[in-house]
Every structure is written in C-alpha cells, then in structure tokens.
Amino acid sequence: MLDDRKLAVLRAIVEDYVSTNEPVGSKALAERHNLKVSPATVRNDMAALEEEGYITQPHTSAGRVPTDKGYRLFVDRLSQIKPLSGAERRAIETFLAGAVDLDDVVTRTVRLLAQLTRQVAVVQYPTLTRSTVRHVELVPLSDRRVMLVLITNTGRVEQRVIELPEAVEDTRIAHLRAVLNSCLDGCGLSAVPELVADLPERLPVEDRPVVATILSVLLETLVERHDEKIVFAGAANLAGADFSVGLRDVLEALEEQVVLMRLLGETSPDTPSALTVRIGSENPYLQGTSVVATGYGSGDNQLARLGVLGPTRMDYPVTMGAVRAVARYVSQILAAS
C-alpha cells in the first residue's frame, strides 16, 4: 500500500491530468498543490509511483499520466463523491418530475445524465421479468375486437389488439376484465403463465374460447418483450474525448445492445444500488473506456441499470455523484408512481 504522501501526489496527478489533458510534471505539482514537501521529494514520489505502475511517462522528457491502476486506486480511495449543488438537485427533480410515463422517464434520464457528466449516458429499461402486474385493461373496439392493455408497477405499458372468435357484449368483457385483475393484480410477470393456466376451466363454458384467445395474446406479449432494451444519449460528447481504443470501436459498441448490457455490468444482489466503476482494462468488452453504473428501481427491488461511458480520463468524483443522484431520483419516481 502507498503511504499518505504518495497517495496525495497520485491524487494531484489525476486531478491535474483530468483537468488539463496534459502530462503532469513535478514542478507543476509542487506549485499548484499544497503537498507540503519539496519538488525533489515530489520527483522521488513520482518515480516510486511510476515504478509501481500507477503512473507512466508517455513521452521522453514529458510529465506523467495516470494508468488504469492509478485511476483504480484514486477511485477506491476517494474520500467522498462530489455532491451535487442545491441548484443541480432541484433542476434534476423538476426535470424528471415532469415525465408523463415510463418512456418519458427513460428519455429524460438519459438526456439529463449526458448533460450532467458530458459523457455518453446509458439507461436500461426496467425488464418485464422483474416487474409486477398493476392492472389489465380490456377495451372493446367492436363486438369482435378488444384492445388488451397490460400496465406494470414500473409504468411500462404493453397493448395489443385482439380478434375474438365470436361477438362478445361489453358486459361480458367487463366481467372478464374483473376476473383477470383479481387473478393477476400484484403478481410477478414471470408467474403469470402458471397463474392463468387453469383460468379458462374456472369460467363458464361460453366464456372459455374468448378468454383462451385473450390469454394467448397476453402470454405472447410477455415472451416477445423478454428482451432487454437500452437507450443512450450524448454520443456527441465523444468528439473531444481521448480513447486508447479507436472512436469507431466505441461508436460501434453503442449500437450493440448486448455490448451495452455487458458494459453496464451486474451488481451484487445484496447491494443492488451499489455504484460500480470499471476502468480501462477492467472492461473486457471495450478496453480503453471507463463505465460508472448503478441499479435503480422501486424500493429494494432493482429493476434495471443506468450509467455513463467515457474515456479513462474522466472526472470520477463528479460522474459518480451524478450517476448516484439521478438513479435515486428515478427510483423515487418509480416508487411514487
């Protein structure tokens, strides 16, 4: 482990390099930071940091820049994540509170994260498999056609138009709607197939063909929507970024949903809201980038993940603070809805 003085030197190098994008020299460190040691001592500490792989010299006679290992130690030893200002918190709350549905929440969240961090923001939609049924609506469109509307606890809405095998009066549709809601209200979507398996047999014979048709479409909807959906924003922020991988590789990764899912990564089930930071070589799917991500959801139930992707030369305290704050606000909105 490094002693406190070398940690202070490393912290100063990271902060200066992130701020200036220029290799950092010992003289500049001694002048800009209150390290309380001589420039000669700073040079010795920098030599030790370089020998242990925390910083490197990109060019002869140049200053030093942090390595992935150096950024990792910097992040692990952060004394605090930079909190958002009161004005920033109020702006986030106002911006997200204006959302009208889940799609709007996700769209606003990804735009907000990109603006706050000046990185690429990535937000995963809440997965249906982790959601529960809030309400099932059957809307008569004609005597042989209804619209099935499935509303989840996360605000996600799935709707399908169903052609019925026979003409059905509105009163029968209302009765079937009540039966479905009494059976499914509050249950997890993954449990729906089992819960409705014997539902037709529990209904009058004349209702069985109609409810079987409705249930068939309902189950098809759950299967078809099983895939993960991810949105991103802020690709323009990559224009000024410096990546050790090519910008083309980063842009291609953003177009691949599977890659984005893997970049967001997984958190421990015991700490679903924990903030995770993967730096450079720790990202096997896109080395040369850093990803800051966390889970969001309703209460203790993690529904999905959000985060940002950018170069390893990232303002980690600010980025981590923004990701954590936005995730908390989104979780509060989902819990309140």
Side-chain angles (χ1 to χ4, degrees):
M1 292 293 294
L2 299 180
D3 59 40
D4 290 344
R5 194 183 68 208
K6 291 186 179 66
L7 281 172
V9 172
L10 175 62
R11 187 178 299 112
I13 292 172
V14 171
E15 291 173 353
D16 277 12
Y17 183 59
V18 168
S19 174
T20 66
N21 196 22
E22 296 289 339
V24 183
S26 57
K27 182 179 180 183
L29 279 184
E31 291 175 351
R32 285 199 289 257
H33 297 270
N34 184 26
L35 297 174
K36 299 179 181 179
V37 292
S38 67
T41 300
V42 173
R43 283 194 297 273
N44 290 335
D45 288 342
M46 290 178 69
L49 289 169
E50 185 173 10
E51 184 176 348
E52 295 186 44
Y54 293 105
I55 60 176
T56 187
Q57 187 175 25
H59 308 290
T60 306
S61 302
R64 272 49 169 193
V65 301
T67 62
D68 290 354
K69 183 180 178 181
Y71 283 124
R72 177 79 269 164
L73 184 61
F74 171 79
V75 169
D76 290 345
R77 297 297 293 270
L78 273 178
S79 57
Q80 65 177 22
I81 298 174
K82 186 176 180 181
L84 299 181
S85 67
E88 287 174 323
R89 290 196 299 271
R90 287 190 295 273
I92 291 174
E93 189 172 8
T94 302
F95 186 67
L96 293 180
V100 296
D101 56 24
L102 180 64
D103 287 332
D104 199 13
V105 169
V106 172
T107 300
R108 287 171 179 251
T109 299
V110 77
R111 286 170 49 201
L112 182 64
L113 259 182
Q115 292 170 3
L116 286 173
T117 63
R118 294 187 177 87
Q119 310 289 354
V120 177
V122 184
V123 178
Q124 175 193 6
Y125 267 79
T127 59
L128 279 177
T129 52
R130 295 176 184 169
S131 304
T132 59
V133 176
R134 172 175 290 170
H135 185 69
V136 178
E137 186 62 55
L138 293 175
V139 183
L141 302 177
S142 69
D143 60 352
R144 297 192 60 160
R145 179 182 290 182
V146 297
M147 177 179 288
L148 168 70
V149 183
L150 172 67
I151 304 172
T152 73
N153 65 319
T154 60
R156 191 163 179 169
V157 178
E158 304 291 337
Q159 56 187 35
R160 292 293 181 85
V161 174
I162 305 173
E163 300 289 341
L164 301 177
E166 60 187 72
V168 183
E169 302 86 359
D170 288 359
T171 53
R172 286 177 64 195
I173 293 296
H175 173 67
L176 292 175
R177 179 195 307 127
V179 170
L180 281 173
N181 279 294
S182 66
C183 177
L184 299 178
D185 182 37
C187 82
L189 297 196
S190 59
V192 169
E194 182 180 353
L195 289 172
V196 301
D198 64 343
L199 184 56
E201 284 70 32
R202 289 187 268 151
L203 295 171
V205 174
E206 63 269 20
D207 286 336
R208 291 177 186 177
V210 173
V211 77
T213 301
I214 293 172
L215 292 178
S216 175
V217 174
L218 173 61
L219 296 178
E220 286 176 5
T221 301
L222 298 181
V223 171
E224 290 178 10
R225 298 295 182 174
H226 183 68
D227 61 320
E228 309 284 6
K229 183 179 178 184
I230 285 186
V231 295
F232 68 88
N237 292 328
L238 298 175
D242 49 317
F243 290 99
S244 59
V245 294
L247 179 57
R248 181 187 183 92
D249 293 335
V250 178
L251 292 174
E252 287 179 350
L254 291 176
E255 295 176 357
E256 296 291 337
Q257 295 279 307
V258 174
V259 174
L260 286 181
M261 277 299 302
R262 290 172 175 169
L263 284 171
L264 281 183
E266 297 293 337
T267 52
S268 165
D270 297 329
T271 54
S273 61
L275 199 66
T276 58
V277 182
R278 290 184 172 85
I279 300 170
S281 56
E282 297 170 0
N283 282 318
Y285 308 105
L286 194 60
Q287 296 191 17
T289 65
S290 284
V291 177
V292 179
T294 190
Y296 71 90
S298 178
D300 295 329
N301 182 25
Q302 180 187 316
L303 298 170
R305 296 186 45 81
L306 60 79
V308 300
L309 177 150
T312 54
R313 190 183 69 84
M314 175 189 292
D315 191 333
Y316 291 98
V318 168
T319 302
M320 293 162 68
V323 168
R324 185 176 64 179
V326 170
R328 285 178 176 174
Y329 278 111
V330 174
S331 297
Q332 289 171 11
I333 290 171
L334 293 180
S337 64

